[in-house]
Amino acid sequence: MDQLNVKEQQEFQQIVEQKQMKDFMRLYSNLVSRCFEDCVNDFTSANLTTKESGCISKCSEKFLKHSERVGQRFQEQNALLMQNLQKQ
Amino acid sequence: MDQLNVKEQQEFQQIVEQKQMKDFMRLYSNLVSRCFEDCVNDFTSANLTTKESGCISKCSEKFLKHSERVGQRFQEQNALLMQNLQKQ
Amino acid sequence: MDQLNVKEQQEFQQIVEQKQMKDFMRLYSNLVSRCFEDCVNDFTSANLTTKESGCISKCSEKFLKHSERVGQRFQEQNALLMQNLQKQ
Amino acid sequence: MFGLGGAPQPSSQQKLSAAEAELDMVTGMFNQLVEQCHSKCINKDYYEGDVNKAEALCLDRCVSKYFETNVKVGEDMQKLGQSGQFMGRK
Amino acid sequence: MFGLGGAPQPSSQQKLSAAEAELDMVTGMFNQLVEQCHSKCINKDYYEGDVNKAEALCLDRCVSKYFETNVKVGEDMQKLGQSGQFMGRK
Amino acid sequence: MFGLGGAPQPSSQQKLSAAEAELDMVTGMFNQLVEQCHSKCINKDYYEGDVNKAEALCLDRCVSKYFETNVKVGEDMQKLGQSGQFMGRK
């Protein structure tokens, strides 16, 4: 990345914040879509069954924990990659 | 949503119109992609067969009617959700 | 497309260049994702096996050659389509 | 849609960005709903161009269940956030 | 690409937006074409890095049929619009 | 992330665009990683809300292998570019 000066960094920070809001919304709607896909398959009624409801809770909890763990490893690996690039 | 003043509403309206154009284009190219995927599987010639051509017509008609119905239900459910949120 | 004047063409050229950078990055990360999906299925170790590594090389080479060929045909067909539209 | 928004006196730009993000989310949710209910309810043999009665009934229930799922996921995320079990992704 | 555009005297901003949307559509269509023809024609065993003759022939026909599908969907949508069978999504 | 950038004196706008594109790429890569490792490692029966030990171990290796794949694809593309076997997409 080219070096950014202070003013540019502030502008970039705003861009980052907007993207984080979008990211969160994307995470949210992907969670709905994924857990609906995996858990809801009975269309004989218009309401969620107890079983579907329980499945959705575990699905979203598991996905959040999953992406938290992947995020930690991602940062570690990314830091490693950056170090190796700077050595070259 | 924070309240928008008149000028902001006009700007927002422009954003909405641009997005609608993009949405239409996205719908169009998704329709092509979906119906090609479901209907075209014979690559012994470079032109669509009569059967493929008929399949594509029904596929696009059906998808448009499908998304029209889903859109109606979506608006109803969304209105319901808004009412419930305002009661709280 | 409405006719663009010289100034508008320059602005449009900038937009095109930004999109090309994004396109390249998208191509790159899709290549990683696709070849990982098709080639890596053994999680008994944290490093790629020789077989996986070879598969990834062929997968990315093949995808690039594939999209090059599709790109050539796309341009030919697009030119044809434009000609037919102008005749009407 | 979910009561987003926040700082006491947001600028025009921030309000428009928030409204745009909200619009994108609603549109995105609608598009995912269309996909999901198509894959759950629509016969892909394409004998006919119409959505038949069984498919239409399935679609209506599908949309209803999708909204219920949406609300449920929101509630679950709040509970997880409050219980401190999930630390937030960033 | 499909003769979009319209109001008598559009502003610079509108023309650029329209041109950008058109570019996005062509790029999007190309990307979907690449995906579809990869999934229809390319062997995923990856014995070789080259696209072999059978795959190449399949790709050429795939692109040709994809364009024909594109034109056909456009014609069908126009007919549906004119017949009033489909009211428009919004 | 991959040493992009380039012209001797880029404008503020160009630098911000490049930084934004880089951020989008890292975010995009992270999202694809999350998808891929979910599909490779996570049991979709959802008996439990926790990621169990076997899944956690699989995830750690999955991330490691994904990064190795990323580096490998970058190296392969450079080789293909230098050997002139691949002419560039545009």
Side-chain angles (χ1 to χ4, degrees):
Chain A
M1 204 190 285
D2 290 305
Q3 286 321 111
L4 301 179
N5 63 34
V6 177
K7 186 161 166 302
E8 289 163 354
Q9 279 181 18
Q10 285 174 348
E11 282 184 58
F12 188 61
Q13 194 49 38
Q14 281 195 358
I15 295 173
V16 170
E17 276 162 27
Q18 280 176 26
K19 283 190 193 292
Q20 281 177 339
M21 183 158 69
K22 283 187 191 167
D23 274 356
F24 176 77
M25 287 176 174
R26 218 177 63 93
L27 172 71
Y28 187 94
S29 59
N30 283 348
L31 213 48
V32 173
S33 188
R34 169 190 309 275
C35 297
F36 183 83
E37 181 172 7
D38 289 348
C39 296
V40 184
N41 282 300
D42 168 12
F43 296 99
T44 56
S45 116
N47 294 98
L48 294 176
T49 65
T50 317
K51 202 184 153 198
E52 287 170 339
S53 200
C55 179
I56 290 165
S57 290
K58 282 167 193 155
C59 171
S60 29
E61 183 185 347
K62 196 164 186 170
F63 185 77
L64 290 171
K65 289 182 177 169
H66 155 74
S67 63
E68 200 177 12
R69 185 169 193 107
V70 171
Q72 287 163 353
R73 295 297 158 270
F74 181 81
Q75 286 179 349
E76 291 165 15
Q77 294 276 345
N78 214 15
L80 257 166
L81 191 64
M82 289 295 109
Q83 277 182 8
N84 287 340
L85 283 176
Q86 279 168 2
K87 274 186 209 153
Q88 288 176 348
Chain B
M1 204 192 283
D2 290 306
Q3 287 322 110
L4 302 180
N5 62 35
V6 177
K7 187 164 166 299
E8 288 163 356
Q9 278 180 19
Q10 285 173 348
E11 282 184 60
F12 189 59
Q13 194 49 38
Q14 281 194 358
I15 294 173
V16 170
E17 277 162 27
Q18 280 175 26
K19 283 192 192 293
Q20 280 177 340
M21 183 159 70
K22 283 187 191 168
D23 274 356
F24 176 78
M25 287 177 175
R26 218 178 65 92
L27 171 71
Y28 187 94
S29 59
N30 283 348
L31 212 48
V32 173
S33 188
R34 168 190 309 277
C35 297
F36 182 83
E37 181 171 8
D38 289 349
C39 296
V40 183
N41 282 299
D42 168 11
F43 296 99
T44 56
S45 115
N47 294 99
L48 295 176
T49 65
T50 317
K51 202 183 153 199
E52 287 170 339
S53 199
C55 179
I56 290 165
S57 289
K58 283 167 191 154
C59 170
S60 29
E61 183 184 349
K62 197 166 188 171
F63 185 77
L64 290 171
K65 289 182 177 170
H66 155 74
S67 63
E68 199 177 12
R69 186 171 193 106
V70 171
Q72 286 162 354
R73 296 297 158 269
F74 181 81
Q75 286 179 350
E76 291 166 15
Q77 294 276 344
N78 214 16
L80 256 166
L81 191 66
M82 289 295 109
Q83 276 182 9
N84 289 339
L85 283 175
Q86 280 170 1
K87 276 186 208 152
Q88 287 176 349
Chain C
M1 205 192 282
D2 290 305
Q3 287 321 111
L4 302 180
N5 63 34
V6 177
K7 187 163 166 299
E8 288 163 355
Q9 279 181 18
Q10 284 173 350
E11 281 184 60
F12 188 60
Q13 193 49 38
Q14 280 194 0
I15 294 173
V16 170
E17 277 162 26
Q18 280 175 28
K19 283 192 192 292
Q20 281 178 339
M21 183 158 71
K22 283 188 190 166
D23 274 356
F24 177 77
M25 286 176 175
R26 219 177 63 92
L27 171 71
Y28 187 93
S29 60
N30 282 349
L31 213 48
V32 173
S33 188
R34 168 190 309 275
C35 296
F36 183 82
E37 181 171 8
D38 290 349
C39 296
V40 183
N41 283 299
D42 168 13
F43 296 99
T44 56
S45 116
N47 294 99
L48 294 176
T49 64
T50 318
K51 202 184 153 198
E52 287 171 338
S53 200
C55 179
I56 290 164
S57 290
K58 283 168 192 154
C59 171
S60 29
E61 183 184 348
K62 196 164 186 170
F63 186 77
L64 290 171
K65 289 182 177 169
H66 155 73
S67 63
E68 199 177 13
R69 185 170 193 107
V70 171
Q72 286 164 353
R73 294 297 159 270
F74 181 81
Q75 286 180 348
E76 291 165 14
Q77 295 276 346
N78 214 14
L80 256 166
L81 191 64
M82 289 295 110
Q83 277 183 8
N84 289 338
L85 283 176
Q86 280 170 359
K87 276 186 208 152
Q88 288 175 350
Chain D
M1 183 176 183
F2 292 95
L4 297 148
Q9 288 285 17
S11 72
S12 243
Q13 188 50 46
Q14 285 172 318
K15 279 158 72 182
L16 279 171
S17 285
E20 193 183 343
E22 210 168 315
L23 176 66
D24 285 343
M25 186 168 75
V26 177
T27 310
M29 186 190 154
F30 177 70
N31 290 332
Q32 287 181 321
L33 176 63
V34 167
E35 284 307 308
Q36 288 287 341
C37 295
H38 195 271
S39 110
K40 301 264 185 199
C41 297
I42 300 292
N43 187 324
K44 278 160 207 71
D45 291 336
Y46 303 118
Y47 306 117
E48 51 188 353
D50 277 315
V51 169
N52 67 38
K53 281 201 179 167
E55 288 170 329
L57 186 59
C58 179
L59 287 181
D60 294 351
R61 289 169 175 169
C62 182
V63 175
S64 163
K65 285 195 158 195
Y66 201 85
F67 268 79
E68 215 181 316
T69 303
N70 193 359
V71 171
K72 178 146 192 52
V73 168
E75 288 168 357
D76 287 348
M77 278 179 86
Q78 277 196 305
K79 270 185 226 155
L80 282 174
Q82 282 162 4
S83 71
Q85 272 199 68
F86 177 65
M87 317 290 285
R89 222 172 104 220
K90 303 239 164 176
Chain E
M1 186 176 180
F2 293 94
L4 299 148
Q9 286 286 18
S11 72
S12 243
Q13 188 49 48
Q14 285 173 318
K15 280 158 73 183
L16 279 172
S17 284
E20 193 181 344
E22 210 169 314
L23 176 66
D24 284 343
M25 185 168 77
V26 177
T27 310
M29 184 189 155
F30 177 70
N31 290 333
Q32 287 181 321
L33 177 64
V34 166
E35 283 309 308
Q36 288 287 340
C37 294
H38 196 271
S39 109
K40 302 264 184 197
C41 297
I42 301 292
N43 188 324
K44 278 160 208 70
D45 291 334
Y46 303 118
Y47 306 116
E48 51 189 351
D50 278 314
V51 169
N52 66 38
K53 280 201 179 166
E55 290 170 329
L57 186 59
C58 180
L59 288 180
D60 294 351
R61 289 169 175 169
C62 182
V63 175
S64 163
K65 285 194 159 195
Y66 201 86
F67 268 78
E68 216 181 316
T69 302
N70 193 357
V71 170
K72 177 147 192 51
V73 168
E75 288 168 357
D76 288 348
M77 279 180 85
Q78 277 196 305
K79 271 185 224 156
L80 282 173
Q82 282 162 4
S83 72
Q85 274 198 66
F86 177 65
M87 317 291 284
R89 223 173 103 220
K90 307 237 165 173
Chain F
M1 184 176 181
F2 292 95
L4 298 147
Q9 287 287 17
S11 72
S12 244
Q13 188 50 47
Q14 285 173 318
K15 278 157 74 182
L16 279 172
S17 286
E20 193 182 344
E22 210 168 314
L23 176 65
D24 285 343
M25 186 168 77
V26 177
T27 310
M29 186 189 153
F30 177 70
N31 289 333
Q32 288 181 319
L33 177 64
V34 166
E35 284 308 308
Q36 288 287 341
C37 295
H38 196 270
S39 110
K40 302 265 185 198
C41 297
I42 300 292
N43 187 324
K44 277 159 208 73
D45 292 334
Y46 302 118
Y47 307 116
E48 52 188 351
D50 277 315
V51 170
N52 68 38
K53 280 201 180 167
E55 289 170 330
L57 186 58
C58 179
L59 287 180
D60 294 351
R61 290 168 176 169
C62 182
V63 176
S64 163
K65 285 194 159 196
Y66 201 85
F67 268 79
E68 216 181 315
T69 303
N70 193 359
V71 170
K72 177 146 193 51
V73 168
E75 289 168 357
D76 288 347
M77 278 179 86
Q78 278 196 305
K79 270 186 225 155
L80 282 173
Q82 282 162 4
S83 70
Q85 273 199 67
F86 177 64
M87 318 290 286
R89 221 173 104 221
K90 306 237 166 178

